[in-house]
Amino acid sequence: MQRFFVVLILCIPFASAKIPAPNEFCFGACRLIFSTAQFNTTNLKTGESWGYGAPACRNELQIHSLYLCNRQFCSPEERDRGLAKWNETCRFWDLTLPPFSIVDSYTNEDLGHLHHLELDEVTWPVTIIWNEVVVPSEHLFHLALNTLDAAHFERRIHKLYGASMYYFWVVVILLGLSSRCARFLINLKGRPDVWQPLPTQEDTTPEIIHSRRGCSIFETLYTLLKRYMSVPATFGYTRSQNIWWCTIPTRIQSITIGSFIIINTVLCSISYRVVFTGNLYWPEVATQLCRYIADRTGVVSTANLALIWAFGIRNNTLMWLTGWDFATYNNFHRWVARVATVEAILHSVAYTIMIFGVWRVELMLDQATLAMAAICSFSVYPLRRGLYETFLQLHIVLSILVIVTMWYHVEIFNGEYNGYLWPCIFIWIFDRLVRILRVLSFNLKFWNTKATVTFDLTSNIVRVIVPYSTSFIQPLPGTFYYINALNDFRIWESHPFTLSYSTSSQEDISLDTYSTPPSSPGSNTPSRLRFSPQNSSNQKSSSELDNLLDRSQLAPPSSLVFTIRPYDGFTVQLRDSALANPATLRMLIEGPYGETQPLHTFENVLFMVGGTGIAIPLSYMDKQLAEDSNTTSLHIVWAVREQQFLADTITTDFRGAVEDKRVSVAVFVTQPDKDEQFSCLPKMVEVHHGRPNVYGVVEEAARRSCHTPLAVVACGPGQMTDDTRKAVVQMLGKGYGKIEYFEESFNW
Ligand SMILES: Cc1cc2nc3c(=O)[nH]c(=O)nc-3n(C[C@H](O)[C@H](O)[C@H](O)COP(=O)(O)OP(=O)(O)OC[C@H]3O[C@@H](n4cnc5c(N)ncnc54)[C@H](O)[C@@H]3O)c2cc1C
Ligand SMILES: NC(=O)c1ccc[n+]([C@@H]2O[C@H](COP(=O)([O-])OP(=O)(O)OC[C@H]3O[C@@H](n4cnc5c(N)ncnc54)[C@H](OP(=O)(O)O)[C@@H]3O)[C@@H](O)[C@H]2O)c1
Ligand SMILES: *[C@@H]1O[C@H](CO)[C@@H](O)[C@H](O)[C@H]1NC(C)=O
Ligand SMILES: *[C@@H]1O[C@H](CO)[C@@H](O)[C@H](O)[C@H]1NC(C)=O
Ligand SMILES: *[C@@H]1O[C@H](CO)[C@@H](O)[C@H](O)[C@H]1NC(C)=O
Ligand SMILES: *[C@@H]1O[C@H](CO)[C@@H](O)[C@H](O)[C@H]1NC(C)=O
């Protein structure tokens, strides 16, 4: 530790030595030389020092030498500018410099007779103390000039390359934005009524319209892009599942991340061309190189910090711009953090080598580097997944530690680099403020949101029903909310849950849904037909019915419904609180988050979901069946283990939508009980046993879509979403270019 401070102090003169701007190089070179050469100071009344500062303002030998150096090498403008500045500095000690005319008495011949300083006379440690006026040799002067030039060049290039990290991401974001716009334009173009002039009789057959639509070069390119870039995983087929401890991003994400790594590697490796022997700061080439590498990696790493924060927060504005989801930015967040950590370690290694020489194996890791390395190593997959809360709390504490230690680390540069840290702090504060705003926008009396929690043992599902009449933002399909329980358990934990559906005050999950006769198609609720289980209710088990009655009585008008699987920690506590009876808990609701996908613009929609993933089709149902929707066929394939969950969902949560002619539901029960209860299900629900054949389902949907737009939406276990993704890629390869793949991930 002590050595650390010694070294730090050793570094300060190097680090904070103010490097002159190019127009001060000439004067600066003379000053650099005479701040290293030592003059006899015994003729001065006080002070015993060398170099910059007070003595240099009144040591006549030094002043004469400096003036002569200026006279010999610098133009009058350079000289005057430099002297004026130095004079200003001397006033700090109540001293003034004598006028430049004091060296007028020296003739050029006198100059020739003066001692000419050479490099070894100003190389640290300096042993000679001058009792006379001296001038630098031309060689030494140029070395000093080059030293300043090199230092200035490097400092500029470090900053430029640091800023390049931002330019890189600006380009990436712009590409994302323009591809979003392009997709919008293609969709416009693809509409036959936009560009197809007066169709003749035989032109109007769907096949011809479709082949016409398909011939645009942009569309072919777009299909290829989907086929090879944006949809498939980088290699193999696992995107949601992990391989060993890694998650594999999609190709387009990998290309982005790869480019970022390459740019970092290149920018940390080039532009060290000014390394030369005889540098007055660091005589040895190896030392200069180390110093410059250390500075470069340090600056670039510090510049990257702001990106890590920008990509890691919940309220990431870039998500709204590009439409990329949290999972994508989370990948970027991780990779930028890894790159920045490697750079911080290189920075420390290079400094160690610079100060102790290459043979030293001990590494001087400063606290900032240590904190960054710690964050990275505590974010490994098993910890992130297995002990999420521990991971999160460690992550927050260590991030604060990184900012604080970094702050003190760069403080010594007179605030020159603190500018890189402010964005991190602002981004964080911004995120926290928006989070508070979101909580308040849901309910100004945020402490007063009382949610009803029910649990059904046979379906092993917790349902949380939250009244939202106080919310300023209306619930939208495909969004999710973070939930904190304010009661007694784990107040600090907030967990994301997808909105299954919301009920408005007119159409709520109340008892009348089950007692009134079913409305006929085209009646007052054209967007969604109500399902009446009258035909089958007598076959229901009493527990099921009780559960339905319970839930429907508990639901107040206009509420959000969440379908939650108890896993561990928080969700298990939710379950336990409602084990015997439905519970009323105070909850903090933060949201909505996430984007609603434009699924209603597709003629065909296939939902491939597993378990609680059914929340996604449920939440989109209303919008898909609304009047302005283009969806003519909506197919839901749902793999589910518990029959009770299936029965509840179909009878209650679907709220009759299964009766709509556009909707078809295929349920795959993977763990059937002996006590079969499928008879209670409406006829339109196909029930199968065992897992669905994901490839077959997607292929069938693609075939049936007959080259009209098809959206495939996956939400479920990693293996299932990966299978779906792979099947979509294969269909794109088979020429079904109108397929879009959407994934709603429950895991980041
Ligand atoms: C966008 C999104 C929507 C989701 N929607 C639903 C849903 O509708 N129904 C449902 O049952 N589950 C949903 N989940 C999963 C749900 O958030 C987790 O099951 C829950 O957080 C588990 O917490 P736990 O304490 O019970 O278990 P833990 O053992 O603490 O966590 C289990 C796993 O859940 C994940 N997780 C935990 N906490 C968080 C968090 N705060 N943020 C992100 N991931 C976390 C981690 O990967 C962790 O490994 C969703 C997750 C996400 C990201
Ligand atoms: N990481 C977490 O702790 C966590 C927490 C909450 C939710 N989630 C995620 O939320 C989603 C649903 O959770 P859940 O607990 O409700 O699910 P679940 O009960 O496990 O149901 C998943 C269903 O999908 C089937 N399935 C799995 N892989 C398949 C495949 N490749 N092809 C076809 N069918 C497949 C399963 O069949 P089998 O019965 O044959 O397996 C099962 O019927 C999953 O993504 C889950 O990972 C994760
Ligand atoms: C410095 O100068 C004084 C007289 O001006 C002289 O006595 C002394 O020896 C000199 N010191 C050195 C180190 O030359
Ligand atoms: C420094 O400032 C003083 C007072 O302003 C002035 O007399 C002197 O000439 C200046 N010296 C130089 C070298 O400019
Ligand atoms: C009950 O089902 C039959 C046949 O499936 C149907 O004709 C009848 O209309 C249904 N009755 C009600 C009340 O839904
Ligand atoms: C549905 O399609 C028609 C024409 O094909 C188009 O004008 C309309 O905007 C589409 N509706 C939506 C919601 O996309």
Side-chain angles (χ1 to χ4, degrees):
M1 201 60 205
Q2 232 160 5
R3 202 187 56 215
F4 172 77
F5 282 113
V6 171
V7 166
L8 202 64
I9 287 162
L10 243 167
C11 287
I12 290 174
F14 296 110
S16 57
K18 187 144 165 29
I19 295 168
N23 62 6
E24 296 172 21
F25 281 174
C26 186
F27 183 81
C30 289
R31 265 197 82 182
L32 177 61
I33 291 165
F34 293 113
S35 64
T36 320
Q38 290 207 50
F39 290 91
N40 190 342
T41 50
T42 44
N43 60 339
L44 301 175
K45 283 175 204 84
T46 56
E48 170 89 13
S49 177
W50 57 275
Y52 290 8
C57 296
R58 54 180 173 175
N59 185 327
E60 284 201 6
L61 294 177
Q62 193 171 346
I63 289 171
H64 277 76
S65 304
L66 182 84
Y67 283 13
L68 286 174
C69 171
N70 267 283
R71 193 174 108 180
Q72 197 176 353
F73 297 107
C74 305
S75 70
E77 298 81 56
E78 286 171 328
R79 179 190 80 202
D80 289 345
R81 196 168 40 225
L83 282 178
K85 242 180 161 179
W86 191 22
N87 212 357
E88 193 69 36
T89 314
C90 289
R91 239 163 257 152
F92 186 71
W93 292 280
D94 278 336
L95 297 169
T96 52
L97 290 174
F100 191 72
S101 50
I102 56 167
V103 291
D104 285 352
S105 53
Y106 289 84
T107 62
N108 283 347
E109 206 189 345
D110 292 341
L111 270 184
H113 291 310
L114 291 178
H115 178 78
H116 283 65
L117 284 178
E118 289 301 335
L119 178 62
D120 55 340
E121 288 162 322
V122 293
T123 305
W124 186 258
V126 177
T127 44
I128 309 167
I129 293 178
W130 300 101
N131 265 319
E132 56 191 299
V133 173
V134 291
V135 285
S137 71
E138 198 147 321
H139 178 232
L140 178 62
F141 174 78
H142 282 111
L143 286 178
L145 206 62
N146 285 344
T147 301
L148 293 181
D149 191 42
H152 182 261
F153 171 81
E154 287 298 329
R155 211 168 66 145
R156 245 189 57 240
I157 218 88
H158 296 331
K159 285 194 172 168
L160 181 71
Y161 288 176
S164 304
M165 300 302 134
Y166 305 132
Y167 300 143
F168 173 84
W169 286 104
V170 166
V171 170
V172 170
I173 303 293
L174 284 180
L175 283 177
L177 195 66
S178 48
S179 92
R180 205 178 192 194
C181 294
R183 216 171 314 161
F184 177 73
L185 290 178
I186 284 174
N187 280 349
L188 275 187
K189 263 195 163 171
R191 299 263 146 74
D193 49 338
V194 175
W195 61 291
Q196 187 180 294
L198 292 174
T200 59
Q201 207 71 46
E202 55 283 16
D203 264 5
T204 44
T205 57
E207 286 73 21
I208 289 177
I209 294 175
H210 296 142
S211 63
R212 282 212 176 183
R213 278 186 183 186
C215 66
S216 145
I217 174 123
F218 290 111
E219 265 180 71
T220 317
L221 274 177
Y222 180 50
T223 305
L224 286 175
L225 192 73
K226 281 191 290 189
R227 163 84 179 82
Y228 292 105
M229 286 294 153
S230 58
V231 184
T234 308
F235 42 80
Y237 92 107
T238 50
R239 164 69 198 92
S240 301
Q241 303 165 82
N242 62 311
I243 301 182
W244 298 310
W245 281 3
C246 307
T247 46
I248 315 293
T250 62
R251 287 196 190 144
I252 199 131
Q253 288 171 14
S254 290
I255 288 174
T256 311
I257 293 165
S259 313
F260 180 69
I261 295 175
I262 290 172
I263 284 183
N264 272 269
T265 315
V266 169
L267 293 191
C268 286
S269 322
I270 58 167
S271 307
Y272 299 114
R273 61 181 161 85
V274 283
V275 171
F276 63 97
T277 45
N279 185 306
L280 263 64
Y281 287 154
W282 313 286
E284 284 172 43
V285 169
T287 323
Q288 291 165 48
L289 194 62
C290 277
R291 172 62 201 234
Y292 293 147
I293 289 177
D295 284 355
R296 177 79 56 80
T297 47
V299 172
V300 173
S301 174
T302 315
N304 276 332
L305 286 183
L307 294 169
I308 305 176
W309 260 261
F311 294 158
I313 55 171
R314 279 183 194 177
N315 293 288
N316 181 347
T317 323
L318 303 173
M319 287 200 273
W320 306 333
L321 282 180
T322 55
W324 298 334
D325 61 355
F326 188 90
T328 305
Y329 280 102
N330 205 21
N331 258 322
F332 294 158
H333 165 80
R334 279 182 224 151
W335 279 101
V336 176
R338 285 170 194 157
V339 168
T341 306
V342 169
E343 283 162 353
I345 292 173
L346 283 177
H347 167 78
S348 298
V349 169
Y351 256 112
T352 312
I353 295 175
M354 174 188 154
I355 284 156
F356 296 118
V358 270
W359 56 87
R360 191 80 179 207
V361 277
E362 283 170 67
L363 195 59
M364 290 170 10
L365 286 172
D366 58 73
Q367 291 106 320
T369 306
L370 275 178
M372 282 174 80
I375 289 198
C376 266
S377 36
F378 286 133
S379 303
V380 289
Y381 186 86
L383 192 64
R384 211 166 68 217
R385 283 288 151 88
L387 293 167
Y388 184 81
E389 288 306 320
T390 317
F391 152 79
L392 190 66
Q393 278 147 27
L394 257 174
H395 212 70
I396 293 173
V397 170
L398 286 173
S399 317
I400 295 173
L401 208 66
V402 166
I403 289 292
V404 172
T405 50
M406 203 59 151
W407 187 269
Y408 287 107
H409 186 75
V410 298
E411 187 97 280
I412 53 172
F413 302 101
N414 306 322
E416 199 178 332
Y417 299 102
N418 291 50
Y420 288 120
L421 300 181
W422 281 115
C424 303
I425 298 167
F426 287 141
I427 288 168
W428 206 342
I429 292 174
F430 167 80
D431 184 45
R432 294 281 156 175
L433 282 181
V434 178
R435 281 170 70 170
I436 292 173
L437 282 180
R438 283 194 196 259
V439 169
L440 291 179
S441 83
F442 190 83
N443 188 354
L444 279 174
K445 297 181 189 166
F446 59 87
W447 60 89
N448 214 16
T449 310
K450 293 197 186 95
T452 309
V453 183
T454 65
F455 172 67
D456 181 61
L457 190 66
T458 39
S459 58
N460 189 25
I461 286 289
V462 175
R463 277 193 173 77
V464 174
I465 300 159
V466 189
Y468 74 90
S469 52
T470 52
S471 172
F472 290 118
I473 305 172
Q474 289 309 298
L476 286 171
T479 53
F480 59 95
Y481 293 74
Y482 285 90
I483 296 184
N484 280 59
L486 288 185
N487 271 57
D488 46 356
F489 56 89
R490 297 164 185 259
I491 282 184
W492 59 91
E493 287 191 16
S494 83
H495 292 263
F497 296 102
T498 303
L499 172 68
S500 283
Y501 57 94
S502 57
T503 59
S504 63
S505 39
Q506 293 89 36
E507 35 142 15
D508 51 276
I509 34 171
S510 67
L511 275 172
D512 2 328
T513 315
Y514 300 97
S515 50
T516 51
S519 49
S520 56
S523 76
N524 56 340
T525 48
S527 67
R528 211 194 46 238
L529 308 171
R530 282 166 197 279
F531 165 63
S532 159
Q534 268 180 354
N535 258 355
S536 47
S537 58
N538 55 340
Q539 295 159 351
K540 276 184 193 176
S541 70
S542 58
S543 82
E544 184 189 345
L545 197 62
D546 285 352
N547 176 37
L548 283 180
L549 295 182
D550 273 357
R551 264 207 285 141
S552 47
Q553 274 163 342
L554 291 163
S558 57
S559 42
L560 310 178
V561 180
F562 298 94
T563 311
I564 298 172
R565 171 81 66 202
Y567 269 84
D568 211 354
F570 179 79
T571 48
V572 165
Q573 300 242 292
L574 268 185
R575 179 195 68 190
D576 292 349
S577 69
L579 213 46
N581 291 305
T584 303
L585 300 179
R586 279 176 202 276
M587 281 187 176
L588 209 64
I589 310 287
E590 183 191 327
Y593 281 95
E595 256 197 276
T596 305
Q597 303 294 351
L599 299 182
H600 64 289
T601 61
F602 288 80
E603 268 115 78
N604 306 281
V605 179
L606 166 68
F607 286 100
M608 185 78 231
V609 296
T612 45
I614 191 67
I616 289 292
L618 286 179
S619 78
Y620 277 101
M621 193 64 79
D622 280 358
K623 189 147 188 176
Q624 294 308 111
L625 301 183
E627 267 162 28
D628 68 339
S629 158
N630 279 343
T631 304
T632 52
S633 142
L634 189 144
H635 191 42
I636 299 171
V637 177
W638 180 28
V640 60
R641 288 192 181 143
E642 306 83 3
Q643 278 172 46
Q644 190 63 49
F645 183 21
L646 162 63
D648 280 3
T649 306
I650 297 287
T651 50
T652 312
D653 301 330
F654 266 95
R655 295 167 297 154
V658 278
E659 292 214 329
D660 191 296
K661 280 197 274 307
R662 290 167 283 182
V663 180
S664 53
V665 182
V667 184
F668 289 79
V669 182
T670 54
Q671 285 179 358
D673 303 342
K674 283 128 257 148
D675 177 24
E676 299 268 322
Q677 287 180 358
F678 301 137
S679 47
C680 71
L681 296 172
K683 298 264 174 329
M684 359 356 224
V685 179
E686 287 175 42
V687 180
H688 305 268
H689 292 277
R691 286 187 172 190
N693 168 7
V694 174
Y695 179 82
V697 167
V698 175
E699 189 185 34
E700 172 73 9
R703 216 172 38 72
R704 276 213 216 146
S705 76
C706 187
H707 298 278
T708 53
L710 166 66
V712 176
V713 188
C715 181
Q719 199 192 352
M720 179 187 262
T721 54
D722 283 343
D723 284 344
T724 315
R725 182 186 290 274
K726 185 181 168 194
V728 168
V729 172
Q730 284 167 332
M731 287 305 120
L732 286 169
K734 287 192 174 178
Y736 294 98
K738 296 267 181 178
I739 306 185
E740 290 284 337
Y741 178 69
F742 300 89
E743 186 173 306
E744 301 288 340
S745 168
F746 280 8
N747 255 323
W748 288 323

